[in-house]
Amino acid sequence: MPIQPIDVLYTATATAENGRDGRVASDDGKLDVVVNPPKEMGGNGAGTNPEQLFAAGFSACFQSALGVVARREKVDITGSRVTAKVGIGRNGEGGFGLTVELAVSIPGVDEAAARGLVEKAHQVCPYSNATRGNIEVRLTVI
């Protein structure tokens, strides 16, 4: 699939020092966090990690995409929540890969309609578009 050009509206900039066992900070100072590997990967787990940051970004972005779709379809999604679970593991080719599960709750919307909104949000969300065809992303309506 060819890369689609976009009209960039905003660019986020962050710099990492010492990789997974160091610090990550944004150029505007709004984000400045210690990162450490989780205990499951041999680290001390004292700080956050790239997978948690990715899960936070994906869940927030997907929630916004869900809002865009709901407004278009005039559906009230008040109280909805998106939880992203990001897994990391060996990919069998000497490297590592990610998996994502997006668990979406939309109270007051029947399951079939909720699934439709989630599928449409998956087409709108920039994180979904960036990961499509690269990593497994499972969508779950809870």
Side-chain angles (χ1 to χ4, degrees):
M1 175 183 337
I3 296 174
Q4 297 290 323
I6 64 167
D7 180 19
V8 175
L9 301 174
Y10 168 75
T11 299
T13 302
T15 302
E17 298 172 2
N18 296 321
R20 288 182 163 272
D21 209 358
R23 177 177 162 257
V24 177
S26 61
D27 64 337
D28 63 5
K30 292 180 181 177
L31 176 72
D32 191 342
V33 294
V34 171
V35 290
N36 299 116
K39 290 181 180 181
E40 296 84 350
M41 293 180 66
N44 65 17
T48 189
N49 59 65
E51 291 70 40
Q52 288 176 329
L53 295 170
F54 189 74
F58 207 152
S59 62
C61 189
F62 198 87
Q63 177 74 40
S64 291
L66 185 63
V68 167
V69 170
R71 280 188 297 281
R72 285 181 187 164
E73 299 199 8
K74 296 178 178 35
V75 176
D76 182 6
I77 62 163
T78 300
S80 63
R81 297 172 60 118
V82 176
T83 300
K85 297 178 182 180
V86 175
I88 184 172
R90 297 189 188 281
N91 65 8
E93 298 175 7
F96 291 84
L98 299 174
T99 63
V100 174
E101 178 185 357
L102 297 173
V104 183
S105 170
I106 311 174
V109 175
D110 72 71
E111 187 174 344
R115 285 188 190 286
L117 292 171
V118 167
E119 288 293 336
K120 290 174 184 171
H122 193 44
Q123 299 306 310
V124 171
C125 176
Y127 276 66
S128 293
N129 290 328
T131 58
R132 187 171 290 108
N134 297 309
I135 66 173
E136 175 188 0
V137 177
R138 288 188 324 263
L139 304 174
T140 306
V141 174
I142 53 175

